[in-house]
């Protein structure tokens, strides 16, 4: 079964829940190598998305919901992560516009566009200790899962697992982008907060897809 607008709504609701649940953890991660606002930034942004979801028409497409989420994040989150996630979701929305349901290839197209949006906006490369280090393995895993015949939910599950592995793998890195880059070697031993939140958001997408299947 493809993933429709109701799935996208469930994804955004699950994202708001997971961000609220891990708010303090994301704040703590960002306090260690940034300014301590990452959990607060995302909680503010996703909390602003949730009430708007109720106003969406029953035939809203995944692209409609992703665009609503993108514009809300861009307008409510002041930190770097607002424009980064906003651009990711906006590019994802454009990539799947016109589809009422996403199949496995549609999910790959959506994730690829989101990754490309983050890179376009932030100019970070793999290994710079940013959320790109979660998005890149997530897309690679999604491509491989779709090629081996996974369902849309299976593709998202593979992406979320790889994103978490990517987040864990940021720990030994020195940061080359964002606030953590000011710390030099002192960033070593700390996980990048944006990579961790990317893993949570993709896990929320997979959980919503499993529930829809
Ligand atoms: P701010 O850094 O403005 O306080 P947040 O704390 O909300 O914003 O977000 C920090 C996260 O944003 C970092 O952990 C990192 O993952 C991500 N980030 C910062 N700069 C970049 C960039 N240039 N490219 C990709 N991701 C970035
Ligand atoms: Mg911060």
């Amino acid at each position: 079964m493809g993933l429709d607008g109701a799935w996208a709504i469930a994804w955004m609701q699950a994202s708001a829940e997971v961000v609220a649940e891990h708010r303090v953890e994301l704040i703590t991660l960002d306090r260690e190598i940034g300014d301590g606002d990452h959990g607060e930034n995302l909680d503010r942004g996703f909390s602003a998305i949730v009430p708007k979801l109720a106003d969406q028409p029953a035939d809203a497409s995944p692209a409609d919901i992703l665009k609503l989420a993108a514009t809300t994040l861009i307008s409510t989150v002041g930190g770097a992560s607002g424009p980064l996630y906003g651009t990711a979701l906006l590019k994802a929305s454009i990539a799947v516009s016109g589809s009422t349901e996403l199949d496995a290839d549609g999910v790959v197209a959506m994730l690829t566009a989101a990754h490309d949006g983050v890179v376009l906006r932030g100019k970070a490369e793999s290994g710079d200790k940013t959320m790109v280090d979660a998005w890149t393995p997530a897309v690679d895993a999604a491509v491989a899962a779709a090629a081996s015949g996974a369902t849309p939910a299976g593709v998202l599950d593979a992406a979320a697992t790889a994103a978490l592995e990517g987040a864990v793998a940021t720990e030994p890195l020195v940061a080359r982008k964002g606030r953590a880059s000011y710390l030099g070697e002192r960033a070593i031993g700390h996980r990048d907060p944006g990579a961790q939140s990317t893993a949570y958001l993709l896990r929320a997408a997979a959980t919503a897809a499993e529930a829809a299947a």
Side-chain angles (χ1 to χ4, degrees), residues 70 73-75 77-90 117-118 121-122 131:
L73 289 179
I74 290 167
S75 62
V77 180
S81 59
L84 287 163
Y85 278 132
T87 305
L89 294 181
L90 204 53
V118 171
R121 180 84 207 186
M131 63 172 70

Side-chain angles (χ1 to χ4, degrees), residues 9 12-13 16 43-57 65 68-69 72 76:
I9 287 176
M12 290 306 129
Q13 286 167 336
D43 194 26
R44 184 183 325 113
F46 281 93
S47 297
I49 292 169
V50 170
K52 296 184 184 178
L53 297 171
D55 300 334
Q56 291 305 296
I65 304 302
L68 172 78
T72 306
T76 57

Side-chain angles (χ1 to χ4, degrees), residues 137-164:
V139 169
D140 291 346
V143 169
S148 68
T151 61
V155 172
L156 286 170
D157 180 54
T161 300
L164 183 56

Side-chain angles (χ1 to χ4, degrees), residues 26 30 33-42 77-82 84-85 118-119 121-125 128-133 176-180 191-198:
L26 294 171
D30 194 32
I33 58 168
D35 58 356
D37 63 356
H38 190 55
E40 207 176 307
N41 285 339
L42 292 190
V77 180
S81 59
L84 287 163
Y85 278 132
V118 171
V119 172
R121 180 84 207 186
K123 308 277 185 284
E125 295 173 6
D128 283 353
K129 199 178 179 106
T130 71
M131 63 172 70
V132 171
D133 292 330
R176 288 192 293 251
K177 283 278 189 289
R179 291 182 195 278
R191 191 176 305 186
D192 178 65
Q196 183 64 32
S197 62
T198 295

